[in-house]
């Protein structure tokens, strides 16, 4: 089995850079609803806090009624994850769903203005490429100027289709494209994570031998017959990807609500349902490209330099990116599926290509639902502004980019423009009467992300509402009406 980090290893003293902790999970949930408590899966009690969470799920329930509901509202998995992470100042930056495939990206609030040019797409491979029960969903982004792509796959099942799985992966990497000059395709990105239910099995070894090795924790005896490891020996594309040692028991296939491997042996109308041999179907791999494109080919806004540092990048080596895998394991306590979740925790060390947001924001004066309010924003660097840009008012602890109380269109509500700042009007009718600790976020439609966040400020409770004797439950309902009336088209 390969070392957990053969290239791009972290070595103390190599260069001055910032460390980012990435917590990744892949889990085939077999149409089950989420458990109430995901703290163990997310390591919420760990002393080493994550900076980014990337959660890739497969076989999320997508029956017609549920799927339509999930289009209009957050699906149960997204809701539970956002509820768990929001109190710890994590925001859902992006997500993409293709039937049962779901990919979610969460960021610590402080990094939000430096995650730019976010794009998501998908590829169907099931039933001749027309059905989304198999395939891939991906999210690409620029993190402090470094291009990263997360690719969540659910590939063809069954022992005999190892070669087909490789073909599907090659098809996905060849055909998925992004509207990004520097990284149009998946493999153009500086760092790629490939994960999901990849469905590779353990071949040749019999059931008794496999289970004996698992019972004795002699996992290494099974590696030579793991199909993914075997295919890497002859497929050049697979050789570019690294994976940590499989020092945990195979994650498939379990009886539901147990830690017991498949015990079925029953007769159906057509044949006996044979026990499935355990396998490491659920995997996390990565590919680090050590060289980057020259600065004149970098994205103008997503992967470039601060405007005040135009000559800092003379060669690509000035902005290195390194990665180390700190943990690769499964979590046996979750038994709602016939798969166990797999977790990969990584340390990324990178030198930031920029350290200032594109926009500075601040609330001006006192805010309450009794008076009209104003805010100020100042572009700190050139960026592709448009008439679809908006500034959202968020409560502290908001769950996602769209979890705002209200918003105002940047171009429509300008009051004044001077050299220092642009003043924007906010109607008192759109400010919550109950008040609370809030912040402002500038959303750039072209870059599909928040590019500036204000400091926390206090929105005061409405004095008029208090004097008129409105009860708090009525105030809450008024706030909900305001928020509903201000949903984006």
């Amino acid at each position: 089995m390969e070392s957990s980090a053969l290239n791009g290893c972290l070595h103390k003293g190599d260069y001055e850079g910032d460390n980012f902790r990435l917590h990744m999970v892949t889990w085939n949930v077999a149409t089950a609803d989420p458990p109430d408590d995901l703290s163990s899966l997310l390591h919420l009690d760990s002393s080493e806090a994550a900076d980014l969470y990337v959660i890739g799920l497969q076989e999320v329930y997508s029956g017609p009624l549920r799927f339509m509901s999930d289009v209009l509202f957050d699906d149960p998995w997204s809701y539970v994850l956002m509820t768990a992470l929001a109190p710890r100042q994590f925001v859902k930056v992006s997500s993409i769903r293709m039937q049962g495939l779901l990919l979610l990206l969460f960021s610590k609030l402080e990094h939000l203005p430096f995650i730019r040019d976010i794009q998501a797409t998908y590829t169907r491979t099931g039933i001749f490429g027309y059905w989304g029960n198999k395939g891939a969903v991906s999210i690409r982004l620029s993190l402090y100027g470094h291009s990263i792509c997360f690719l969540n796959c659910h590939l063809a099942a069954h022992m005999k289709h190892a070669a087909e799985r490789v073909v599907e992966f090659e098809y996905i990497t060849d055909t998925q494209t992004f509207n990004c000059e520097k990284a149009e395709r998946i493999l153009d990105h500086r760092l790629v994570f490939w994960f999901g239910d990849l469905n590779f099995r353990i071949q040749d070894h019999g059931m008794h031998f496999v289970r004996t090795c698992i019972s004795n924790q002699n996992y290494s005896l099974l590696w030579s017959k793991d199909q993914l490891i075997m295919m890497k020996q002859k497929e050049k594309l697979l050789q570019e990807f690294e994976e940590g040692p499989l020092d945990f028991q195979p994650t498939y296939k379990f009886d539901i609500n147990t830690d017991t491997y498949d015990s079925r042996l029953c007769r159906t109308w057509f044949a006996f349902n044979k026990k499935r041999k355990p396998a490491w179907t659920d995997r996390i791999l990565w590919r680090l490209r050590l060289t980057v494109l020259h600065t004149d080919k970098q994205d103008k806004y997503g992967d470039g330099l601060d405007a005040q540092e135009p000559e800092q990048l003379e060669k690509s080596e000035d902005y290195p990116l390194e990665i180390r895998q700190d943990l690769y394991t499964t979590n046996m306590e979750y038994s709602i599926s016939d798969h166990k979740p797999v977790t990969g925790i990584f340390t990324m060390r990178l030198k930031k290509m920029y350290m200032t947001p594109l926009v500075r924001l601040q609330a001006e004066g006192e805010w309450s639902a009794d008076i009209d309010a104003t805010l100020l924003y100042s572009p700190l660097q050139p960026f592709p502004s448009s008439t679809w840009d908006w500034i959202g008012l968020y409560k502290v602890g908001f769950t996602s980019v769209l979890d705002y109380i209200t918003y105002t269109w940047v171009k429509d509500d300008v009051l004044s423009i001077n050299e220092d700042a642009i003043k924007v009007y906010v109607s008192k009718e759109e400010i919550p009467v109950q008040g609370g600790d809030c912040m402002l976020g500038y959303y750039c439609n072209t870059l599909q992300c928040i590019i500036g966040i204000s400091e926390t400020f206090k929105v005061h409770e409405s004095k008029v509402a208090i004097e008129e004797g409105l009860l708090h439950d009525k105030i809450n309902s008024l706030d909900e009406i305001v928020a509903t009336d201000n949903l984006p088209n």
Side-chain angles (χ1 to χ4, degrees):
M1 190 69 189
E2 296 185 23
S3 166
S4 61
L6 293 180
N7 67 35
C9 297
L10 296 182
H11 303 287
K12 289 185 178 180
D14 281 354
Y15 66 90
E16 292 297 323
D18 292 278
N19 286 345
F20 294 85
R21 192 168 175 84
L22 169 63
H23 187 116
M24 297 187 66
V25 175
T26 178
W27 193 2
N28 183 321
V29 298
T31 74
D33 283 334
D36 294 331
D37 186 3
L38 290 173
S39 58
S40 176
L41 183 67
L42 302 174
H43 292 199
L44 296 183
D45 297 327
S46 172
S47 59
E48 298 183 272
D51 293 283
L52 299 171
Y53 281 94
V54 177
I55 315 293
L57 305 177
Q58 307 85 40
E59 292 194 25
V60 175
Y61 180 67
S62 56
L65 292 179
R66 170 69 69 81
F67 191 77
M68 290 302 297
S69 173
D70 292 349
V71 169
L72 299 174
F73 308 100
D74 289 315
D75 65 273
W77 282 95
S78 296
Y79 177 79
V80 167
L81 288 163
M82 288 190 294
T83 302
L85 291 172
R88 291 167 170 80
Q89 298 291 293
F90 281 92
V91 177
K92 188 183 80 171
V93 177
S94 182
S95 66
I96 183 168
R97 173 91 179 263
M98 182 185 75
Q99 280 186 225
L101 272 169
L102 176 63
L103 178 58
L104 302 116
L105 169 65
F106 296 86
S107 168
K108 199 76 174 172
L109 180 64
E110 65 193 77
H111 304 307
L112 206 57
F114 306 100
I115 300 177
R116 303 176 186 170
D117 200 13
I118 303 165
Q119 298 181 43
T121 190
Y122 63 89
T123 300
R124 297 185 180 97
T125 59
I127 309 182
F128 308 108
Y130 290 103
W131 192 243
N133 63 318
K134 294 290 192 295
V137 290
S138 63
I139 296 173
R140 70 87 50 198
L141 55 91
S142 162
L143 175 65
Y144 289 95
H146 298 268
S147 60
I148 304 177
C149 184
F150 299 99
L151 178 66
N152 173 26
C153 291
H154 193 185
L155 303 181
H158 305 304
M159 179 74 71
K160 63 183 179 181
H161 291 147
E164 181 181 338
R165 289 187 270 278
V166 176
V167 171
E168 286 183 345
F169 176 58
E170 291 175 340
Y171 172 76
I172 290 164
T173 56
D174 284 343
T175 57
Q176 278 200 6
T177 58
F178 304 97
N179 183 23
C180 178
E181 182 181 348
K182 178 185 174 184
E184 183 180 2
R185 299 179 183 276
I186 292 171
L187 298 179
D188 294 337
H189 289 78
R190 187 81 179 276
L191 179 60
V192 177
F193 289 95
W194 171 37
F195 54 102
D197 181 0
L198 307 186
N199 255 321
F200 290 101
R201 310 303 172 100
I202 299 172
Q203 67 181 49
D204 298 335
H205 291 315
M207 178 76 76
H208 178 73
F209 180 79
V210 171
R211 292 199 173 189
T212 299
C213 289
I214 295 171
S215 297
N216 296 329
Q217 297 185 14
N218 291 326
Y219 307 128
S220 61
L221 297 179
L222 303 175
W223 293 346
S224 64
K225 296 301 180 181
D226 174 83
Q227 289 180 335
L228 180 53
I229 295 174
M230 296 170 68
M231 297 300 287
K232 285 188 73 172
Q233 295 175 0
K234 58 183 180 180
E235 296 290 341
K236 184 177 179 181
L237 176 58
L238 299 186
Q239 291 169 10
E240 298 179 14
F241 284 82
E242 299 181 47
E243 183 181 24
L246 297 170
D247 285 331
F248 54 90
Q249 66 187 86
T251 55
Y252 174 84
K253 173 179 173 58
F254 290 87
D255 293 337
I256 303 295
N257 296 320
T258 75
D259 292 337
T260 304
Y261 283 105
D262 192 5
S263 62
R264 299 174 306 163
L265 191 60
C266 59
R267 186 177 182 84
T268 66
W269 286 104
F270 304 103
F272 279 102
N273 277 330
K274 292 168 50 178
K275 298 177 185 178
R276 293 286 173 86
K277 196 192 311 182
W280 286 288
T281 57
D282 311 284
R283 313 286 276 267
I284 301 174
L285 299 91
W286 72 95
R287 172 186 182 268
L288 177 64
R289 187 159 57 87
L290 296 180
T291 59
V292 296
L293 299 181
H294 194 269
T295 178
D296 60 4
K297 292 186 178 180
Q298 292 188 340
D299 287 345
K300 186 174 181 181
Y301 308 107
D303 295 339
L305 293 171
D306 283 336
Q308 65 268 32
E309 302 172 328
E311 298 179 357
Q312 187 171 346
L313 182 59
E314 296 179 356
K315 55 183 180 178
S316 62
E317 289 79 5
D318 288 342
Y319 286 89
L321 168 64
E322 296 178 345
I323 185 167
R324 178 188 68 224
Q325 187 174 57
D326 300 318
L327 182 68
Y328 191 30
T329 190
T330 185
N331 193 317
M332 293 295 294
E333 76 175 72
Y334 295 101
S335 56
I336 59 173
S337 168
D338 54 353
H339 293 249
K340 300 294 184 182
V342 169
T343 298
I345 295 179
F346 299 85
T347 295
M348 295 185 293
R349 184 159 68 184
L350 56 86
K351 191 171 182 181
K352 298 174 181 176
M353 293 188 187
Y354 42 75
M355 291 177 284
T356 57
L358 296 175
V359 168
R360 179 181 292 123
L361 284 162
Q362 68 180 80
E364 186 180 47
E366 184 175 293
W367 280 53
S368 80
D370 297 333
I371 54 173
D372 295 333
T374 58
L375 62 88
L376 300 174
Y377 78 90
S378 306
L380 302 181
Q381 301 171 47
F383 69 91
S385 62
S386 77
T387 56
W388 299 107
D389 289 2
W390 48 270
I391 295 174
L393 176 66
Y394 296 90
K395 281 196 173 180
V396 171
F398 66 100
T399 60
S400 72
V401 172
L402 295 180
D403 183 27
Y404 47 74
I405 302 168
T406 188
Y407 72 96
T408 183
W409 296 109
V410 172
K411 302 292 186 182
D412 290 350
D413 297 310
V414 171
L415 291 176
S416 64
I417 301 175
N418 59 43
E419 294 181 358
D420 297 324
I422 300 169
K423 182 180 291 190
V424 178
Y425 163 83
V426 180
S427 170
K428 63 183 180 181
E429 304 296 331
E430 299 176 354
I431 299 175
V433 295
Q434 195 172 11
D437 292 328
C438 297
M439 58 184 63
L440 300 165
Y442 186 115
Y443 185 86
C444 175
N445 186 69
T446 304
L447 298 179
Q448 294 287 291
C449 61
I450 287 178
I451 59 174
I453 297 176
S454 75
E455 296 291 332
T456 301
F457 64 96
K458 184 75 172 180
V459 174
H460 298 281
E461 192 175 48
S462 169
K463 295 178 181 178
V464 173
I466 295 173
E467 290 173 358
E468 292 181 357
L470 287 175
L471 299 177
H472 278 280
D473 56 346
K474 292 182 179 179
I475 292 175
N476 286 332
S477 66
L478 287 174
D479 284 347
E480 290 175 3
I481 291 171
V482 169
T484 302
D485 289 343
N486 285 282
L487 287 174
N489 294 326

